[in-house]
Amino acid sequence: MSRKMTIADVAEKAEVSKSTVSQFLNERFEYMGEETRTRVQNAISELEYQPNVVARSLKKKSTSTIGVIVANILHAYSTQVIRAIENVCNDNGFSTIICNADDNPEKEKKYIETLLAKQVDGLIVVPISGNLGTYDKLLKQNYPIVFLDRLVDGLNTDTVLLDNERASELAVSHLLKNGYKDIAIVTTSLVDNVTPRVERINGYKSTLKANGITVRPEFIRGMELNSFNQGLDALFSLDKKPDAIISGNDLTLMEILKYTFENDIEIGKDIGLITIDEVSFGPIHSPPLTTIAQPTFEMGKEVATILLKKIKDKKIKDPVIHRHEPSIIIRNSTKKEGVSSE
Amino acid sequence: MSRKMTIADVAEKAEVSKSTVSQFLNERFEYMGEETRTRVQNAISELEYQPNVVARSLKKKSTSTIGVIVANILHAYSTQVIRAIENVCNDNGFSTIICNADDNPEKEKKYIETLLAKQVDGLIVVPISGNLGTYDKLLKQNYPIVFLDRLVDGLNTDTVLLDNERASELAVSHLLKNGYKDIAIVTTSLVDNVTPRVERINGYKSTLKANGITVRPEFIRGMELNSFNQGLDALFSLDKKPDAIISGNDLTLMEILKYTFENDIEIGKDIGLITIDEVSFGPIHSPPLTTIAQPTFEMGKEVATILLKKIKDKKIKDPVIHRHEPSIIIRNSTKKEGVSSE
DNA sequence: CTGAAAGCGCTTACAG
DNA sequence: CTGAAAGCGCTTACAG
């Protein structure tokens, strides 16, 4: 009852060799007589034998486990993508180990090392800048790895991410169409050149230009979450205040909502608001929030599928960048009173 | 560069035996001359040797990994507790494998088996009814396992959960104090006797009784999330309608908010609302939502600490149930106009 | 169709 | 202080 059963116990009980039990476990029934097969089967169920995956992994040099390192689990995006990844992995007999690097490159590095020591068969990562060397080495060894959400300068590997410029384009166009003219964009820190932030700002600029509107640098703000209040204060103290804001993600949205709430700024009327990333309370907020949604489920599904394919077929292929289309969910936070919506 | 380095490579390079390298890796420096030590050290860094945890685990019969099976990852509660668990595990050199059973007992069972096959050293689980036998067997073998959030009938093991009756007591008392009289409680399905739901309803009943108020069975509703609309319709079609609602958790809250939004029911005025589980948008909702918060971080910390202790010291101890205190965060969704709040 | 043997990469008594 | 040997629980050629 207490000691764990091994293949040797099964072999003894079934009066066959360990090899035969192993063949059975690996469903190589062609190597086995009908009668042997049932004997092994019975021995296994009588002993309640459970194979030891660790031993198998050591021998097979493959763990059927992948690692997922996410830059910041607090984004709803992360959680959703992870669920999709897990679904795909489960369907393929793979386990996932999820790690949250907390936007900290050292933590990320430690996780990479731990995961590799655990012999995971591949890695999905939302990379934080700072571990270029580590990734480069892995990639050169043709170790299976797929990036998510962010590109890394100087690293050439399969990546799944949003068409971020298109996201901003959707946001800006919608705001313009609804009568807003002075559109600001607010996002988290820009110092590390994090792909979505940079691209969203680029898309913002280019769409404004395409509409003949001058880009005002003071309307573009990248700042840490904990200094958002001051940043928004500055924005709203401008001589020329913005009449609409694009929020870079769900976490910045919370800061903006807190600010407007505390300062009695009425969303929709005093200020138009559109946020990238759909949020659970979007529909029931007052006013309901216009959002730009990412197809998180498909994105998760695709990264996992790509990674599993790489693991199964180690042939080197040219890396490709997979862009996903954002979509706009129009609600009332971008509806000026008296201006007809599209 | 390509083939993975092993302890044998290090041994060869450092001109010592594998044993010595292993002693080095395990920091048993007392078994080693100063000079040997640096030779091994250098060999390791030159070869960029990384130990293979799988091999070590096989030999040591311990993986320094725990499994966490959560009934439903969609609850913010789950995510928060998981983060706390991961922190504690990281600090102790343990990894965590997170599984989401999706309220499905078969999925749960499959995860238990997979995790055990992977030789995890222990399990934290938010149990779904239906796998009593499995848990019972594990517990009898003195396998380290701690339950979270829910008690299982007939199973005696360490459990960390909220003082759910107290949570309801806080909610009911606060509502009564604020002038609400006809208080309903709405939660997810009651068919499986899930601990928090049952206890929250018990606390609701007993607090009403303690205040001399008759419990109206039609004010107590347990239903699946996807039939919430009908349920709320029924509740609001009663001759005697409730003037306040207690929401059982964050997911039921969303349904209630959707319903009141769609039916133009004004929270605070038309209906008082208080929800168990703090939500991110609580402070910025209009009106801001009164909530009963769980100390998720401490709960996660405690459950992990208990499990790690069990893993380290396998002595059998009497299982204990650890109740955590909820706290009320008073905001405006329970403020009737014209009635002074506490 | 079945089994003996080697080996995956480590750790740990034990001997010297 | 250091090394040879056994063994963790499997899998996989290979021989018969």
Side-chain angles (χ1 to χ4, degrees):
Chain A
M1 168 64 85
S2 183
R3 191 180 59 87
K4 267 196 189 126
M5 292 298 143
T6 73
I7 214 176
D9 300 308
V10 177
E12 197 186 349
K13 178 124 195 163
E15 299 181 294
V16 297
S17 75
K18 293 193 294 170
S19 318
T20 304
V21 178
S22 179
Q23 305 291 18
F24 178 93
L25 292 173
N26 290 284
E27 297 179 309
R28 275 192 273 275
F29 300 129
E30 62 278 23
Y31 295 100
M32 207 171 307
E34 175 69 23
E35 198 254 355
T36 318
R37 181 173 161 175
T38 54
R39 274 222 312 283
V40 175
Q41 174 68 277
N42 291 338
I44 286 177
S45 29
E46 278 174 46
L47 297 175
E48 298 187 347
Y49 168 76
Q50 301 273 60
N52 181 327
V53 171
V54 173
R56 153 180 296 185
S57 298
L58 177 59
K59 183 65 201 179
K60 299 247 267 191
K61 290 160 162 283
S62 135
T63 52
S64 290
T65 301
I66 66 159
V68 181
I69 306 177
V70 122
N72 186 343
I73 194 86
L74 292 179
H75 288 292
Y77 172 82
S78 308
T79 325
Q80 287 159 25
V81 169
I82 287 170
R83 292 202 77 201
I85 292 173
E86 286 181 326
N87 285 346
V88 174
C89 286
N90 266 327
D91 290 350
N92 288 276
F94 270 72
S95 300
T96 48
I97 301 182
I98 311 298
C99 305
N100 171 30
D102 246 339
D103 278 324
N104 177 343
E106 272 133 56
K107 258 192 164 179
E108 180 182 48
K109 178 147 201 202
K110 210 190 126 216
Y111 277 130
I112 299 172
E113 279 165 8
T114 309
L115 289 170
L116 292 179
K118 279 179 170 289
Q119 315 294 119
V120 296
D121 296 338
L123 240 32
I124 292 173
V125 10
V126 179
I128 301 169
S129 68
N131 288 312
L132 201 138
T134 314
Y135 290 125
D136 199 41
K137 202 177 298 167
L138 254 19
L139 255 17
K140 288 223 174 82
Q141 295 170 201
N142 196 28
Y143 180 81
I145 164 163
V146 185
F147 282 165
L148 178 66
D149 190 54
R150 302 177 180 181
L151 269 359
V152 177
D153 246 21
L155 245 42
N156 211 8
T157 182
D158 291 83
T159 307
V160 172
L161 76 171
L162 188 71
D163 186 342
N164 287 296
E165 301 212 359
R166 173 76 180 136
S168 298
E169 187 194 333
L170 283 172
V172 173
S173 311
H174 175 72
L175 286 168
L176 291 175
K177 209 177 302 173
N178 280 265
Y180 297 97
K181 301 236 169 313
D182 304 307
I183 305 170
I185 185 165
V186 173
T187 186
T188 25
S189 172
L190 292 169
V191 296
D192 284 327
N193 286 314
V194 177
T195 310
R197 304 175 197 166
V198 172
E199 293 184 343
R200 286 169 195 180
I201 287 177
N202 286 346
Y204 158 88
K205 288 181 186 166
S206 59
T207 310
L208 284 182
K209 280 180 202 152
N211 283 277
I213 298 173
T214 318
V215 173
R216 302 165 140 284
E218 68 275 24
F219 276 3
I220 302 176
R221 308 202 80 101
M223 47 211 177
E224 300 295 341
L225 284 176
N226 56 24
S227 58
F228 244 69
N229 256 314
Q230 296 109 283
L232 292 172
D233 257 339
L235 196 57
F236 282 101
S237 310
L238 255 26
D239 281 341
K240 176 140 183 116
K241 293 184 185 43
D243 62 1
I245 296 186
I246 298 174
S247 153
N249 62 49
D250 55 344
L251 265 25
T252 59
L253 173 69
M254 288 310 299
E255 298 304 319
I256 295 169
L257 292 179
K258 261 187 256 168
Y259 184 88
T260 54
F261 181 80
E262 282 161 13
N263 293 277
D264 273 320
I265 298 171
E266 203 173 319
I267 292 169
K269 192 166 143 267
D270 298 335
I271 187 108
L273 177 62
I274 185 164
T275 189
I276 299 179
D277 284 341
E278 166 69 336
V279 290
S280 63
F281 57 92
I284 52 92
H285 188 269
S286 62
L289 303 172
T290 298
T291 62
I292 306 284
Q294 304 197 42
T296 49
F297 193 81
E298 287 84 61
M299 293 172 87
K301 205 172 147 184
E302 183 166 42
V303 243
T305 307
I306 294 173
L307 183 65
L308 293 185
K309 202 174 291 166
K310 280 194 173 203
I311 291 172
K312 272 159 207 157
D313 173 14
K314 290 237 177 189
K315 253 178 284 161
I316 300 173
K317 305 219 177 66
D318 280 338
V320 0
I321 292 178
H322 306 260
R323 291 279 181 182
H324 285 246
E325 265 304 284
S327 57
I328 186 166
I329 302 175
I330 298 173
R331 293 192 277 244
N332 290 348
S333 64
T334 46
K335 197 187 256 169
K336 255 188 177 161
E337 267 151 45
V339 176
S340 76
S341 173
E342 53 181 327
Chain B
M1 167 64 83
S2 184
R3 190 180 61 87
K4 268 196 189 126
M5 292 299 143
T6 72
I7 213 175
D9 300 309
V10 179
E12 197 185 351
K13 178 123 196 162
E15 299 181 295
V16 297
S17 73
K18 293 193 293 169
S19 319
T20 303
V21 178
S22 178
Q23 304 292 20
F24 178 92
L25 293 173
N26 290 283
E27 297 179 309
R28 274 192 272 276
F29 300 128
E30 62 277 24
Y31 295 99
M32 207 171 306
E34 176 67 22
E35 197 255 355
T36 318
R37 182 173 160 174
T38 53
R39 274 222 312 282
V40 176
Q41 175 67 279
N42 291 337
I44 286 178
S45 29
E46 278 173 47
L47 298 175
E48 298 187 350
Y49 167 76
Q50 300 274 58
N52 180 326
V53 170
V54 173
R56 154 180 295 185
S57 297
L58 177 59
K59 182 66 199 176
K60 298 247 268 189
K61 289 161 161 280
S62 135
T63 51
S64 290
T65 302
I66 66 160
V68 180
I69 306 177
V70 122
N72 185 343
I73 194 86
L74 292 178
H75 289 291
Y77 173 81
S78 308
T79 325
Q80 287 160 24
V81 169
I82 286 170
R83 290 201 80 201
I85 293 172
E86 286 181 326
N87 285 346
V88 174
C89 286
N90 266 328
D91 291 349
N92 288 276
F94 271 71
S95 300
T96 48
I97 301 182
I98 312 298
C99 305
N100 171 29
D102 245 339
D103 278 325
N104 178 342
E106 271 134 57
K107 258 192 165 180
E108 180 182 48
K109 176 144 202 205
K110 210 189 127 217
Y111 278 130
I112 299 171
E113 279 164 8
T114 309
L115 289 170
L116 292 178
K118 279 178 170 289
Q119 314 296 116
V120 295
D121 296 337
L123 240 33
I124 291 174
V125 11
V126 178
I128 301 169
S129 67
N131 288 311
L132 201 139
T134 314
Y135 290 124
D136 199 41
K137 203 177 298 167
L138 253 19
L139 256 16
K140 288 224 174 80
Q141 294 170 202
N142 196 27
Y143 180 81
I145 163 165
V146 184
F147 282 166
L148 179 66
D149 189 54
R150 302 178 180 180
L151 270 358
V152 178
D153 247 21
L155 246 42
N156 212 6
T157 182
D158 290 82
T159 306
V160 172
L161 76 171
L162 188 70
D163 185 341
N164 288 295
E165 302 212 357
R166 174 75 181 136
S168 299
E169 188 193 332
L170 284 171
V172 173
S173 310
H174 176 71
L175 287 168
L176 291 175
K177 210 176 300 172
N178 279 266
Y180 298 97
K181 301 236 171 310
D182 304 307
I183 304 170
I185 184 165
V186 172
T187 184
T188 24
S189 172
L190 292 168
V191 298
D192 283 326
N193 286 314
V194 177
T195 311
R197 303 176 198 166
V198 171
E199 292 184 344
R200 287 169 194 181
I201 287 176
N202 287 344
Y204 159 87
K205 288 181 186 166
S206 59
T207 311
L208 284 182
K209 280 180 200 151
N211 284 276
I213 296 173
T214 318
V215 173
R216 305 164 79 75
E218 69 275 23
F219 276 4
I220 302 176
R221 309 202 79 102
M223 47 210 180
E224 300 296 340
L225 285 176
N226 56 25
S227 59
F228 244 69
N229 256 314
Q230 295 110 283
L232 292 172
D233 257 340
L235 196 58
F236 283 101
S237 311
L238 256 25
D239 282 341
K240 175 139 182 119
K241 294 183 183 47
D243 62 1
I245 296 187
I246 298 174
S247 153
N249 61 50
D250 56 345
L251 266 24
T252 60
L253 174 69
M254 288 310 298
E255 298 302 321
I256 295 169
L257 292 179
K258 263 187 254 167
Y259 184 88
T260 53
F261 180 81
E262 282 161 13
N263 293 278
D264 273 319
I265 298 171
E266 203 174 318
I267 291 169
K269 191 166 144 266
D270 298 335
I271 188 106
L273 176 63
I274 184 165
T275 190
I276 299 179
D277 284 341
E278 166 69 336
V279 290
S280 63
F281 57 92
I284 52 94
H285 189 267
S286 60
L289 303 172
T290 298
T291 62
I292 307 284
Q294 302 197 42
T296 49
F297 192 81
E298 287 84 57
M299 294 173 86
K301 203 172 149 185
E302 181 166 44
V303 82
T305 308
I306 294 174
L307 183 65
L308 294 185
K309 203 175 291 167
K310 278 195 174 203
I311 290 171
K312 271 159 207 158
D313 172 14
K314 289 237 177 188
K315 255 178 281 164
I316 300 174
K317 304 221 176 66
D318 281 339
V320 1
I321 294 178
H322 305 259
R323 292 278 181 182
H324 285 245
E325 267 302 284
S327 58
I328 185 166
I329 302 175
I330 298 172
R331 294 194 275 245
N332 290 349
S333 64
T334 48
K335 197 187 256 168
K336 257 188 175 160
E337 266 151 45
V339 176
S340 76
S341 173
E342 51 181 333

